[in-house]
Amino acid sequence: EYSSDPNLFVTGSRDRSILFRDVRIDRDYVTALCSHRQEVCGLQWSPDEMQLASGGNDNNLLVWDSRFGFGSQTESGITNSLIVSKPLLVLEEHEAAVKAIGWSPHQRGLLVSGGGTADRTLRFWNTLTSSTKSMVSLDTGSQVCSLAWSHTVNEFVSSHGYSQNQIIVWRYPSLTKVATLMGHTSRVLHLSLSPTGENIVTGAGAGDETLRFWSVFPPSSRHVRHGSLGDPSVLSSPICAVPPSGPTLTATPAKHSKSGESNLSQERRPVNPRMSVPSGFSPSLSSRTIR
């Protein structure tokens, strides 16, 4: 997890530690955060980088205060490594590993976390207080693998594993489902938001091994969603899918939702899939043109 300073980044691993590293310093790390009792599963900086959230296989979500600093200076100017063992908050309500973590870009101190198969819940926390109780919890029915907030509207997307392997777009604070995206056949372990904030790419594990590109959020010029607020959309077709065998892509337009449902495919035009694949790919599109 990188900070806004390109020289600094933070890592977590099976050794239970979280290490701050500085590429300018000839040292393995400059600060170690040591409080998790098992493997570190997730890390994410708050938008203002004043707090770092970490999730672990010990079912704990920890919040660290960046004012602890990255190191201490000696008289000779050489940075000494620090060991920090006391987080700002220890949040213990999850009943399974915490891999999915997301900070709201719309409300300072609002953090959402998701638990594993034995937990399946989304929990919302206010990290600006000393409270260790979640404000709201929601049972999603599936293992929560990853989270990302929209920067253009007050919504977020979550990816899931056992048993449904779905992707869900949520509206906050009502926590109503905007859309359910189906298509992956195994755990959707990875999710990443595009630089424009409109599209996501999801990746699933063994048995699926595909990358799928979805258009889920409106562009920054549109802050108001139009359309029905009825039952959530269920979409089964991403913008395009990258199979494990190679760069040849199959691209199909997203299906229109049923009458009375919020119509995500009409509101949000899919991007050209040629702009959604890694550099060097030469995608071969199906005969149906995506516009």
Side-chain angles (χ1 to χ4, degrees):
E1 177 75 10
Y2 275 90
S3 68
S4 59
D5 186 335
N7 296 302
L8 300 172
F9 64 100
V10 59
T11 61
S13 74
R14 290 184 177 180
D15 66 4
R16 303 173 295 176
S17 66
I18 300 167
L19 303 181
F20 285 90
R21 305 175 189 271
D22 189 330
V23 298
R24 298 164 297 184
I25 296 175
D26 186 17
R27 188 179 291 270
D28 287 342
Y29 63 92
V30 291
T31 304
L33 309 181
C34 302
S35 188
H36 281 290
R37 298 188 300 273
Q38 294 187 39
E39 176 182 0
V40 179
C41 301
L43 291 169
Q44 191 170 102
W45 282 106
S46 63
D48 60 6
E49 297 187 2
M50 294 298 293
Q51 295 179 336
L52 175 72
S54 63
N57 237 12
D58 53 8
N59 306 345
N60 287 345
L61 175 67
L62 307 182
V63 179
W64 304 86
D65 192 332
S66 68
R67 287 173 296 183
F68 285 130
F70 293 103
S72 62
Q73 296 294 324
T74 65
E75 292 183 359
S76 61
I78 300 175
T79 302
N80 290 328
S81 298
L82 293 179
I83 305 296
V84 178
S85 59
K86 186 177 181 179
L88 179 68
L89 295 172
V90 179
L91 309 175
E92 302 177 298
E93 292 185 12
H94 282 294
E95 297 180 1
V98 182
K99 180 178 183 294
I101 304 171
W103 293 91
S104 170
H106 309 288
Q107 183 176 335
R108 185 169 175 264
L110 175 58
L111 174 65
V112 59
S113 58
T117 305
D119 181 271
R120 307 179 305 181
T121 62
L122 293 171
R123 293 186 179 274
F124 296 80
W125 315 85
N126 181 359
T127 66
L128 301 183
T129 70
S130 58
S131 173
T132 57
K133 300 291 185 182
S134 58
M135 300 183 295
V136 181
S137 66
L138 176 68
D139 189 341
T140 67
S142 297
Q143 172 191 29
V144 187
C145 298
S146 190
L147 290 165
W149 283 84
S150 167
H151 292 274
T152 60
V153 289
N154 204 5
E155 297 172 1
F156 65 94
V157 58
S158 59
S159 70
H160 298 263
Y162 181 82
S163 61
Q164 301 178 49
N165 306 320
Q166 77 276 41
I167 302 156
I168 303 176
V169 182
W170 305 87
R171 180 177 289 116
Y172 187 83
S174 64
L175 297 182
T176 53
K177 291 182 182 180
V178 176
T180 300
L181 313 176
M182 306 298 293
H184 284 294
T185 58
S186 64
R187 292 187 300 166
V188 189
L189 293 172
H190 304 288
L191 181 159
S192 184
L193 191 66
S194 71
T196 64
E198 298 176 50
N199 310 300
I200 61 170
V201 58
T202 56
D208 182 300
E209 298 181 353
T210 63
L211 297 177
R212 294 175 184 265
F213 297 80
W214 312 84
S215 182
V216 294
F217 296 127
S220 58
S221 59
R222 295 174 58 193
H223 294 277
V224 179
R225 181 192 307 283
H226 301 284
S228 167
L229 296 180
D231 294 335
S233 303
V234 178
L235 306 180
S236 58
S237 297
I239 299 171
C240 59
V242 182
S245 57
T248 300
L249 308 185
T250 301
T252 56
K255 295 178 180 179
H256 290 288
S257 60
K258 297 179 181 178
S259 176
E261 297 179 345
S262 61
N263 199 328
L264 193 67
S265 58
Q266 287 182 338
E267 297 164 22
R268 300 166 180 177
R269 288 182 63 189
V271 299
N272 187 323
R274 294 180 186 274
M275 301 300 293
S276 304
V277 297
S279 175
F281 276 18
S282 299
S284 174
L285 303 182
S286 65
S287 59
R288 300 181 65 180
T289 302
I290 291 183
R291 299 185 182 279

